[in-house]
Amino acid sequence: MQNLLSELPNKEGISPDSLGYKILKICRLTLTPMITEIFRLSLDSMKLPAIWKDSIIMPIFKSGKRDNVGNYRPISLTCVLCRTLERIIAQQLTDYLITHDIISKHQYGFMKQRSTNTQLITCLEDWYKALYEEKNIDVIYIDYKKAFDSVPINLLLYKLDKIGIKGKLYGWISNFLTNRTFRVKIADKFSSSRTVYSGVPQGSVLGPLLFIIYINDLPRFLSKNTNIVIYADDVKIYKAYKTEIERNELQSDLSKIEQWSKIWALDISSTKTFVFHLGNKNCHHDYFINGIKLSQVEVIRDLGVNIDNKLKFDKHIAITTKKAYFKAHQIFRNIKSKSPKTWNILYKSYVRPQLEYATESWNPILKQDINKLERVQRFFTRIIYKKCNLTYKNYETRLHFLKLDSLECRRKVFDLTMLFKIFKGFTHLDQYSLFKPLNRSSRRHNCQIFIQHKNNKTRNSFINRTNNTWNNLPQEVVNSSSITQFKQKLRISLNRGL
């Protein structure tokens, strides 16, 4: 317990019980025995204090007109003491799900070795392969209306029981889910309390895990020839095809999802569900949900990455660089400092992450796109020199002084590190579905890979983009025992001019 409290965030925060993480962390030596006893009593009795089931909802403005409620995103704040106990339960529950192989391989959210990145790579590699084989691909992005808030508690408890969650844990989770309340906070004012009758608690630690258990059986409803990938409540199904019969199977499986959703009381939003067509000869077939024709799009935002129907990412790069410049200008307007170290931290914390999210799925190979991204870092480092009254230096010198790598170099490291993770089993992806190991000896290393699906349409896929560099890595780099060690050895190798 003491170790758990020491790992809590070092911040105050707002909580219904007026406790903050910081006080629990600072006073952990004194509080550990009392907190341990409180947790034991709660689990043994299968009951929670009423305050633990209360939430504070804070509306955060997104964009548009401020008098439109739909332009606000609700942030739910729950009791930090309850969240601490949830962490313990979530870890044990996750271990149980992994040990018994319960969570579907199609679910990429909130589980170890799974991420938005691995899902994007999986889908894009499938699509590149289909394009190489001159097939068409139809993808349907399914949106559920307020999915987390809509889950019927009795049906969730039924599913928990079916996967073997019983006894005191089942009783505690049942109590955790029922008779919950919330209050809305605006400025320093609170609304009156309201009761919640459905859904998994947003802002809680257990909520996301409980939701993926609820949606876990959805893939079993579909035919084996239709692909489905899920990230929490984000669902997409797709099929690569050459014949009309194959294509019609996708509508049939869409109807099965519609049926499953009605059985389990999740409402599909037909206006926010989209069809995305790929392939030069794609006839843009119509698809329907609840008798309503779905909208077709040429660019789709998929887990934060903008993908167009040519599998080019110039649109995404344009949006990404625009956001990065905006963030940079905000920092320069509001921060006054002559310390290069301070500006370096600000850049790494707020600007560079804008440019590097999920780059393994979209890392560009065209020089114009590479330069567009690099220009953001060139701009920021140049302004740092001005702000710090330093004599102007060229870009390479600025990078050396500020201890920064070029963005292009960092993306190469990200690519190769992801390939290392896949090859060495640090993700749940099946390496044999992505690439074929080369069964022959090599002067470099014994983890060579062979690419079967490479042409002008597919050369920017993750595997095609990385295989040559990977195959030329030294043996001692590929045989690293950990991800950290691999990155360290890789950087040394790249600096030597690999």
Side-chain angles (χ1 to χ4, degrees):
M1 176 63 68
Q2 199 174 118
N3 290 337
L4 180 63
L5 295 179
S6 69
E7 294 171 358
L8 293 175
N10 192 27
K11 60 181 182 180
E12 293 291 352
I14 301 171
S15 177
D17 59 6
S18 300
L19 280 175
Y21 287 119
K22 196 171 184 178
I23 189 69
L24 296 181
K25 187 171 185 176
I26 293 173
C27 302
R28 59 185 179 276
L29 293 177
T30 304
L31 295 176
T32 290
M34 289 178 282
I35 292 174
T36 302
E37 182 62 13
I38 290 170
F39 287 177
R40 185 191 65 78
L41 288 171
S42 178
L43 288 168
D44 282 348
S45 66
M46 297 175 285
K47 294 180 180 179
L48 290 78
I51 192 69
W52 283 12
K53 298 195 283 184
D54 188 31
S55 301
I56 296 173
I57 306 297
M58 298 181 65
I60 305 298
F61 178 68
K62 295 187 294 184
S63 61
K65 295 184 178 180
R66 290 186 176 271
D67 58 355
N68 185 344
V69 176
N71 292 332
Y72 289 80
R73 177 168 56 92
I75 299 295
S76 179
L77 306 173
T78 57
C79 291
V80 298
L81 204 56
C82 184
R83 286 175 61 86
T84 304
L85 177 53
E86 287 178 67
R87 288 176 190 271
I88 299 171
I89 294 173
Q91 183 59 61
Q92 297 300 314
L93 185 53
T94 300
D95 290 344
Y96 172 80
L97 296 172
I98 293 173
T99 300
H100 293 83
D101 195 24
I102 291 172
I103 296 299
S104 168
K105 67 178 181 180
H106 305 286
Q107 173 62 259
Y108 287 76
F110 307 114
M111 296 294 289
K112 294 177 181 178
Q113 300 186 333
R114 311 185 190 198
S115 65
T116 55
N117 231 343
T118 55
Q119 192 201 108
L120 286 166
I121 288 171
T122 299
C123 294
L124 287 166
E125 290 302 311
D126 281 350
W127 300 347
Y128 279 119
K129 179 183 175 182
L131 292 178
Y132 178 86
E133 296 171 348
E134 297 186 342
K135 293 181 179 179
N136 295 312
I137 310 104
D138 287 353
V139 191
I140 302 175
Y141 288 79
I142 298 168
D143 180 83
Y144 284 105
K145 295 179 182 177
K146 299 180 179 179
F148 277 59
D149 296 331
S150 302
V151 173
I153 293 169
N154 62 319
L155 296 183
L156 173 56
L157 292 172
Y158 168 80
K159 289 196 172 187
L160 288 172
D161 179 74
K162 284 297 181 182
I163 64 170
I165 307 301
K166 302 179 185 295
K168 290 183 179 180
L169 179 57
Y170 176 89
W172 191 92
I173 293 175
S174 176
N175 193 288
F176 171 77
L177 291 170
T178 53
N179 299 316
R180 299 192 67 89
T181 58
F182 73 92
R183 293 168 291 156
V184 177
K185 181 178 184 294
I186 299 177
D188 58 348
K189 303 293 184 181
F190 286 89
S191 71
S192 57
S193 186
R194 295 286 189 274
T195 302
V196 179
Y197 295 100
S198 65
V200 295
Q202 296 213 39
S204 66
V205 175
L206 274 175
L209 188 57
L210 294 174
F211 184 85
I212 69 171
I213 291 172
Y214 190 74
I215 204 171
N216 190 56
D217 63 336
L218 173 57
R220 296 204 296 267
F221 272 62
L222 307 186
S223 63
K224 292 182 179 180
N225 295 324
T226 294
N227 298 91
I228 179 171
V229 287
I230 311 171
Y231 193 93
D233 60 332
D234 290 322
V235 178
K236 62 176 174 276
I237 60 173
Y238 61 90
K239 181 180 285 293
Y241 62 88
K242 282 191 174 181
T243 69
E244 187 174 346
I245 294 174
E246 291 175 307
R247 185 190 64 195
N248 289 338
E249 289 175 355
L250 189 59
Q251 177 62 63
S252 175
D253 281 320
L254 183 59
S255 299
K256 291 175 184 177
I257 290 180
E258 184 181 335
Q259 182 184 16
W260 179 93
S261 302
K262 288 177 179 177
I263 292 171
W264 298 105
L266 291 179
D267 190 11
I268 297 175
S269 172
S270 55
T271 59
K272 293 183 179 180
T273 295
F274 300 106
V275 183
F276 184 59
H277 298 287
L278 297 162
N280 291 334
K281 298 180 181 179
N282 199 308
C283 63
H284 291 220
H285 180 71
D286 291 329
Y287 292 91
F288 297 83
I289 280 184
N290 298 321
I292 299 172
K293 187 173 77 170
L294 300 177
S295 299
Q296 300 179 11
V297 294
E298 294 184 354
V299 180
I300 191 77
R301 184 172 172 82
D302 189 341
L303 298 178
V305 175
N306 298 279
I307 306 173
D308 67 23
N309 57 7
K310 303 296 182 184
L311 295 189
K312 295 181 179 178
F313 295 94
D314 47 345
K315 176 77 171 178
H316 178 74
I317 290 169
I319 293 171
T320 296
T321 52
K322 183 178 180 180
K323 287 181 178 178
Y325 277 123
F326 177 75
K327 188 70 69 174
H329 285 296
Q330 279 187 315
I331 292 170
F332 289 137
R333 278 198 304 269
N334 293 288
I335 303 296
K336 306 296 180 184
S337 175
K338 293 186 181 298
S339 167
K341 184 178 179 180
T342 299
W343 290 114
N344 202 336
I345 292 171
L346 289 168
Y347 172 69
K348 289 179 179 179
S349 301
Y350 298 105
V351 180
R352 194 168 68 181
Q354 300 280 339
L355 302 165
E356 295 187 334
Y357 169 71
T359 58
E360 295 89 336
S361 63
W362 57 267
N363 187 1
I365 58 173
L366 295 179
K367 200 66 180 176
Q368 63 189 39
D369 292 330
I370 294 170
N371 290 339
K372 184 176 288 187
L373 291 162
E374 204 70 43
R375 274 197 293 270
V376 180
Q377 186 163 273
R378 286 177 179 270
F379 163 75
F380 202 97
T381 56
R382 189 173 67 249
I383 300 300
I384 288 177
Y385 265 61
K386 287 184 178 180
K387 294 283 186 181
C388 298
N389 294 329
L390 298 171
T391 304
Y392 174 82
K393 300 293 182 182
N394 63 32
Y395 181 49
E396 288 71 23
T397 304
R398 297 198 301 270
L399 291 183
H400 180 75
F401 174 72
L402 296 168
K403 296 180 181 179
L404 296 172
D405 292 321
S406 71
L407 297 177
E408 183 179 11
C409 178
R410 285 176 58 82
R411 289 195 300 273
K412 180 178 286 189
V413 171
F414 294 152
D415 277 355
L416 292 168
T417 302
M418 177 59 75
L419 190 50
F420 174 80
K421 290 178 183 178
I422 296 170
F423 211 106
K424 300 295 184 176
F426 288 105
T427 76
H428 89 302
L429 298 182
D430 175 18
Q431 61 171 279
Y432 297 102
S433 67
L434 293 174
F435 53 81
K436 180 181 178 182
L438 203 57
N439 296 319
R440 62 176 174 81
S441 60
S442 169
R443 289 178 297 174
R444 304 299 291 182
H445 58 80
N446 56 3
C447 295
Q448 304 277 303
I449 59 176
F450 173 69
I451 303 303
Q452 305 176 78
H453 312 292
K454 191 168 185 177
N455 60 17
N456 285 335
K457 293 180 181 178
T458 66
R459 61 184 179 140
N460 198 40
S461 81
F462 167 72
I463 298 297
N464 289 344
R465 193 175 62 234
T466 56
N467 76 305
N468 285 336
T469 309
W470 170 267
N471 286 344
N472 286 315
L473 288 176
Q475 182 80 39
E476 64 269 18
V477 177
V478 174
N479 285 348
S480 298
S481 58
S482 68
I483 297 169
T484 301
Q485 187 184 84
F486 175 81
K487 287 181 180 179
Q488 291 171 346
K489 291 184 176 181
L490 175 62
R491 288 183 182 278
I492 293 172
S493 182
L494 291 175
N495 287 336
R496 288 174 179 168
L498 173 66

